[in-house]
Amino acid sequence: MRVEKQVRASDLVGCRYRLVQRRTHPEVPRTDAAQARAARYDAAREAVWEKFPRKSDSRRRVFRRIDLGPLPAEDPWLRSLETLEALATGATHITGAVFTNEKWLVGVDMLVREGASTSESSYTPVMVSTHRVARKHDSVKILGVPTHRLGLSEPLELGYKPRHHVLDGYHLAMAARALEDLGLNSGRGALVGQDQSLAFYSDTASYQPALDAALAAVEPANLPTQPRRVKECASCRFWPLCEPELKAMDDISLFLPGDRARAYREDGINTVQGLIDASLGLPSQLASAWRDGTVLLAHGDITMPRADVEIDVDMEAYMDQGAYLWGAWMDGTYYDFVTWEKLGSKAEAHNFADFWTWLMERRDEAHAAGKTFAAYCYSAHGENHWMRMSAQRFHEHTPGVP
Ligand code: SF4
């Protein structure tokens, strides 16, 4: 099995021990969730590539597109050589480009030539992202162009506010750095995100300091030599390898993941038992409760407000496009309201209206019967966020939406 020693942008975000594990255990397969995520990304990439320009709309405008093949490239070194050859021809559009060196590699969905002639040309990297890279805004403007006009029209100021995602920034920064080494860097990059019809531009120089820091952090001498539990462990393919290591160390991150144990580590407390033995009051009590498997620990004199009728509200959303499922758990029964239609459509609005109407009916019934009523949800950023967003988006035109 070939072990890729170069770093990719995805190695620069999140747990750096993942890179160590990937190099040491290349045989560990990706999780089902990761494969599904990759498939979604491939589908998004394919859909965007379909929108890239195929010909010029003017005889006076030179148009020479070279398609090097799909990404990720099976042989990145070969593709990087093909990329250099394509650049040397002065092609106006190059899809499936790859830049690589001893340390890192990056695939670029499309390189778009700027400048009228080959002699004065430079290139702008265009990357496909599954994130929402910009959101409509009344007062902020950024440069953008329809995806099918990339390299054919000058970008215009559009009423959107950019949303920065670290991974997208690293992708563009790497591509710009490779172009800079070739003397072909336009200084800007473009991202096509969830709105696949638009490409938004940004200044790639602004990403370079962060890329420097991230690349320094994955230098072999700076890589961690053991795992530390973080949020992403829950979905990481290397967890079956890391968990026994963490347990053998009794690492404090088992109880306090990520940075939450930093203060204790600074005091020399690196294990769960160490925290228990330190007798630090509540933190030690909680560590001890965690060790015993105690799920809830009463802290002081606590009374929980209860109601005669209690409903637990549930929700599932797809990225930031909308909520396709509302659910309610009441008296041991789960009531579901779901749509598989396009999000942001009437179907989503009506689905939310149905759920909200049902919820309000249960409240009215409770109050009519002289009973108290309470609805709960797990997360302010999940259910509460989408209840407010759904009301904002749909209330004007959908009966039943508050
Ligand atoms: S399981 Fe956790 S610590 Fe191990 S590589 Fe994955 S994210 Fe890192």
Side-chain angles (χ1 to χ4, degrees):
M1 180 172 289
R2 189 162 59 90
V3 184
E4 202 174 78
K5 65 179 175 19
Q6 285 104 337
V7 169
R8 291 174 182 266
S10 55
D11 294 318
L12 303 179
V13 291
C15 172
R16 283 180 292 130
Y17 195 61
R18 197 161 27 94
L19 179 60
V20 177
Q21 293 286 47
R22 178 164 74 74
R23 287 171 172 163
T24 318
H25 300 283
E27 75 286 356
V28 177
R30 287 193 294 178
T31 61
D32 290 348
Q35 288 180 38
R37 221 172 17 251
R40 281 200 298 276
Y41 183 57
D42 288 347
R45 176 173 255 163
E46 207 179 311
V48 174
W49 284 31
E50 279 296 311
K51 293 181 168 54
F52 284 158
R54 299 211 162 266
K55 58 182 184 191
S56 175
D57 54 352
S58 158
R59 280 204 193 141
R60 279 175 293 152
R61 191 191 305 280
V62 179
F63 186 92
R64 212 162 50 247
R65 172 170 155 169
I66 296 178
D67 297 313
L68 297 176
L71 290 175
E74 266 184 31
D75 184 339
W77 274 107
L78 177 61
R79 183 67 66 82
S80 72
L81 295 176
E82 291 167 345
T83 301
L84 296 179
E85 283 172 15
L87 287 167
T89 68
T92 56
H93 298 72
I94 303 168
T95 62
V98 168
F99 293 114
T100 186
N101 58 31
E102 280 297 304
K103 294 192 171 171
W104 49 263
L105 78 87
V106 63
V108 188
D109 291 280
M110 186 161 71
L111 292 166
V112 176
R113 198 182 90 184
E114 311 265 1
S117 72
T118 314
S119 60
E120 62 185 41
S121 69
S122 60
Y123 282 85
T124 293
V126 179
M127 307 291 296
V128 177
S129 167
T130 50
H131 299 127
R132 185 165 296 282
V133 298
R135 201 178 265 289
K136 276 193 176 154
H137 203 275
D138 292 338
S139 53
V140 180
K141 291 198 184 323
I142 50 170
L143 288 176
V145 72
T147 307
H148 71 278
R149 299 292 305 167
L150 273 162
L152 300 179
S153 299
E154 272 305 303
L156 292 171
E157 287 204 324
L158 305 176
Y160 281 81
K161 186 175 182 189
R163 294 188 76 197
H164 180 62
H165 298 273
V166 177
L167 183 60
D168 295 338
Y170 289 151
H171 271 139
L172 286 178
M174 284 173 152
R177 190 169 289 197
L179 287 164
E180 183 69 32
D181 290 346
L182 298 167
L184 293 172
N185 183 19
S186 73
R188 63 185 184 179
L191 283 172
V192 182
Q194 287 179 16
D195 179 351
Q196 296 174 342
S197 65
L198 285 173
F200 294 98
Y201 283 74
S202 59
D203 167 16
T204 50
S206 65
Y207 304 137
Q208 296 300 334
L211 178 61
D212 281 333
L215 288 172
V218 293
E219 286 288 333
N222 297 331
L223 282 172
T225 54
Q226 57 193 32
R228 180 174 291 186
R229 189 164 82 92
V230 289
K231 202 174 159 199
E232 70 195 270
C233 292
S235 57
C236 177
R237 63 176 147 157
F238 299 114
W239 181 242
L241 296 170
C242 292
E243 185 185 23
E245 247 189 278
L246 287 161
K247 281 187 169 165
M249 294 187 292
D250 189 31
D251 193 81
I252 193 170
S253 68
L254 285 165
F255 167 55
L256 295 173
D259 266 353
R260 288 173 57 200
R262 183 185 297 182
Y264 305 116
R265 287 189 196 272
E266 283 170 2
D267 285 342
I269 300 171
N270 294 304
T271 63
V272 179
Q273 195 57 44
L275 181 56
I276 295 169
D277 295 343
S279 301
L280 296 175
L282 186 61
S284 299
Q285 284 171 26
L286 286 169
S288 176
W290 176 84
R291 169 125 298 159
D292 297 343
T294 303
V295 178
L296 285 173
L297 194 64
H299 178 46
D301 189 14
I302 292 176
T303 50
M304 295 288 290
R306 301 297 303 263
D308 300 322
V309 178
E310 294 183 322
I311 295 180
D312 183 23
V313 174
D314 182 29
M315 181 278 315
E316 293 295 333
Y318 180 62
M319 295 196 270
D320 66 350
Q321 294 184 13
Y324 59 88
L325 178 141
W326 290 98
W329 178 255
M330 186 177 81
D331 292 338
T333 301
Y334 187 84
Y335 299 85
D336 60 287
F337 302 84
V338 66
T339 175
W340 304 112
E341 300 296 317
K342 190 171 165 41
L343 292 173
S345 65
K346 279 185 185 170
E348 188 195 345
H350 287 300
N351 189 52
F352 178 66
D354 289 347
F355 156 73
W356 188 258
T357 303
W358 180 91
L359 189 68
M360 292 303 99
E361 283 171 359
R362 300 293 80 72
R363 187 176 69 168
D364 292 347
E365 274 172 17
H367 289 166
K371 294 178 178 174
T372 54
F373 173 91
Y376 306 88
C377 69
Y378 180 71
S379 165
H381 300 294
E383 291 83 4
N384 269 354
H385 167 78
W386 278 109
M387 277 193 267
R388 292 201 174 95
M389 282 293 284
S390 301
Q392 275 173 27
R393 291 188 303 155
F394 303 133
H395 78 279
E396 277 180 3
H397 50 77
T398 312
V401 172

